[in-house]
Amino acid sequence: MKTPMFCVWLGAIALIPVFPAMAQTPSGEQAALVSPSEWQSLWSGANRAALRQALADRARHGLDHLTFLPRDIDDQPAAEAAEAYTKAAMRYADALAQGLVDPSSLHDVYTIARPMPVQAGALRDALRQNRLAQWLDGLAPADPEYRMLSQAYLEANRQTGVPTPGLALAQSIHVGDVHPQVAEIADQLADDGYLTVRPSAAPADLYTQDIADAVKALQRDYGIRADGIVGPDTLGVLTLRPGDRARTLAVALERRRWLSRTPPATRIDVNSAAAELQYYRDGQLIDRRKVIVGEPDRETPPLGSPIYRLVANPTWTVPKSIPVSRATVRAKAMHRINGYWVQPSGPDNALGLVKFDMKNDQAIYLHDTAAPELFGRSQRHLSHGCVRVSDALGFAAMLADQEGVGDTWAKAQASGTYEIVDLPREIPVRLLYHNAFVADDGTVAFRTDPYGWNDAVAVQLGFADAKSRQAKAEAIDIGP
């Protein structure tokens, strides 16, 4: 995977060491901790049946495109069969506990802590106690979002193979247009649950306001500009077959298995696929807001990195990876320091009026912006890798107040000069990538795959190498 260019990249990228929790021991090595004769005795007929039944139910986790056990396994000699059952059980257990795919193999930088790999001793104990089914069932995430994504995957699987209209488009369709494919579009919207009632009096080929409203709802779900016009981007979503949705949902389930089952109760989660931020405090979601994240080719990386201080009225040192014209230097009142262009503090600064400093080696952080109007865009993959936060000043004041440094922060911000306010404790931040998730209304929503990161995961989950649907926004400024 190509190396992303981040906010303030002052040199070659430094790879982050893999967290100890991410280290994996191959299943074969773990299994070797128990003698072959003991494994053979543990794989009783009941335990074999329990594993076969668990694997038969693997579609709940989007793993049904993979084969874990050979069909003829019970025809093999007892020792070989026991070894095969053990390897299959360990592989499946690891897939449930921490994901089948190692995310650090997909990204130059991946620092979000993962669950520990399954140990052979745990499998041995489950077999001894005849609790294999219960043990396996407790390894995957048990939160409501995972369950809803699982149900959505099963439903998409049931619909896979159902014929879907194949649409073509010579020009965009607007309200009031008469077009021969309107009926097919309406049928597809109805199948997807966006169009519940279609006026019976309207001609089948008339593109009505009701259909346009349904298109707007779909566009919002997929991060496309919600204008109700059927153009190429919208058409690409309308022609998504259930199999494409199943593929996206399987990847979504896998990405959640990568995550700790007990995330910090107080944390900030940024979903770069949806360009949204969620702030949890003491286990409760208390704030949600739009963000602007890295554009394709300058992606916001998947990091686990805490905020440890607030910077009032920051300056911005422009990384050499971002070209700066003479006109920009004049317009932004920049000056040279040690060979770098630096923009002074002020409301026109690219970082806005607050920077949320984070501890990582990639110079990635959250910050304000001098162009708040960009938060009104549906596609918000516009930055050079950092995360711009909507109403960042309000967010900073909230954090400061809750952490007991509200007065100190207010004075620093009002000073108009560069000042640093340390937080009494670090606030964990996870930069995630989820393009299928449970929305505010409790339904499963989809976004495009702006970075194209789903494809490599889907292939390892056994899906065909088909490119995910993407919608790309144009870069519009030089900000971080």
Side-chain angles (χ1 to χ4, degrees), residues 18-328:
V18 175
F19 285 179
M22 296 169 61
Q24 299 186 50
T25 303
S27 296
E29 293 181 19
Q30 290 189 3
L33 299 176
V34 182
S35 68
S37 60
E38 184 176 0
W39 281 125
Q40 189 172 333
S41 66
L42 289 171
W43 282 111
S44 64
N47 280 333
R48 292 187 182 197
L51 179 59
R52 289 196 298 270
Q53 181 57 48
L55 292 174
D57 197 31
R58 65 191 184 280
R60 287 196 300 127
H61 306 288
L63 295 170
D64 49 315
H65 285 242
L66 299 170
T67 299
F68 290 84
L69 270 177
R71 287 182 179 274
D72 63 346
I73 186 170
D74 290 323
D75 297 331
Q76 298 175 11
E80 294 179 16
E83 181 181 4
Y85 270 102
T86 299
K87 288 182 177 179
M90 289 299 300
R91 183 174 178 234
Y92 188 53
D94 268 338
L96 296 179
Q98 60 165 192
L100 181 119
V101 182
D102 180 359
S104 66
S105 70
L106 305 177
H107 301 276
D108 291 331
V109 176
Y110 188 93
T111 65
I112 302 171
R114 294 175 67 197
M116 292 292 291
V118 171
Q119 300 299 317
L123 171 60
R124 178 193 58 200
D125 292 343
L127 292 172
R128 283 177 174 171
Q129 299 164 17
N130 295 315
R131 298 187 67 259
L132 180 62
Q134 298 93 318
W135 176 67
L136 289 171
D137 198 46
L139 295 176
D143 58 275
E145 182 165 28
Y146 189 87
R147 292 196 296 271
M148 287 194 66
L149 292 171
S150 173
Q151 288 300 315
Y153 177 77
L154 293 175
E155 180 61 28
N157 256 359
R158 282 192 286 269
Q159 295 179 8
T160 299
V162 177
T164 305
L167 305 181
L169 192 66
Q171 59 185 16
S172 298
I173 303 176
H174 301 71
V175 173
D177 287 350
V178 174
H179 194 283
Q181 290 172 313
V182 168
E184 295 178 0
I185 291 171
D187 287 343
Q188 184 66 42
L189 289 166
D191 288 344
D192 291 342
Y194 290 100
L195 186 61
T196 55
V197 179
R198 190 179 181 199
S200 57
D205 56 358
L206 176 64
Y207 190 65
T208 64
Q209 186 62 54
D210 287 336
I211 300 175
D213 289 341
V215 167
K216 286 181 182 179
L218 177 138
Q219 289 170 328
R220 284 192 291 270
D221 274 356
Y222 280 87
I224 299 170
R225 182 179 179 184
D227 54 13
I229 299 170
V230 179
D233 282 345
T234 301
L235 192 73
V237 172
L238 281 169
T239 54
L240 270 179
R241 300 176 187 274
D244 298 320
R245 287 211 178 91
R247 183 178 187 267
T248 297
L249 289 162
V251 173
L253 290 166
E254 172 72 2
R255 289 187 183 279
R256 280 158 181 79
R257 291 191 293 269
W258 295 346
L259 302 177
S260 169
R261 306 298 187 264
T262 54
T266 296
R267 70 184 186 277
I268 295 167
D269 284 345
V270 174
N271 182 355
S272 57
E276 293 181 348
L277 175 152
Q278 293 180 319
Y279 172 42
Y280 294 84
R281 188 163 186 89
D282 298 327
Q284 300 297 315
L285 176 63
I286 65 167
D287 191 74
R288 184 194 303 265
R289 60 187 63 215
K290 295 178 180 180
V291 296
I292 291 170
V293 293
E295 61 183 330
D297 298 325
R298 292 178 175 177
E299 299 94 342
T300 295
L303 296 181
S305 174
I307 292 172
Y308 68 103
R309 66 184 186 183
L310 305 176
V311 180
N313 310 299
T315 60
W316 179 43
T317 300
V318 185
K320 292 187 176 179
S321 60
I322 300 178
V324 180
S325 67
R326 291 182 179 179
T328 298

Side-chain angles (χ1 to χ4, degrees), residues 11 42 77 139 325 363-365 380 406 412 423:
L42 289 171
L139 295 176
S325 67
I364 291 291
Y365 45 82
R380 297 189 297 279
L423 294 177

Side-chain angles (χ1 to χ4, degrees), residues 360-403:
N360 59 74
D361 292 343
Q362 308 307 316
I364 291 291
Y365 45 82
L366 277 59
H367 64 91
D368 189 16
T369 177
E373 67 277 4
L374 297 179
F375 291 109
R377 296 176 61 138
S378 296
Q379 271 295 313
R380 297 189 297 279
H381 297 84
L382 305 167
S383 80
H384 282 71
C386 283
V387 179
R388 309 177 192 178
V389 180
S390 177
D391 182 24
L393 281 177
F395 191 54
M398 181 198 315
L399 295 182
D401 284 341
Q402 292 174 346
E403 295 301 315

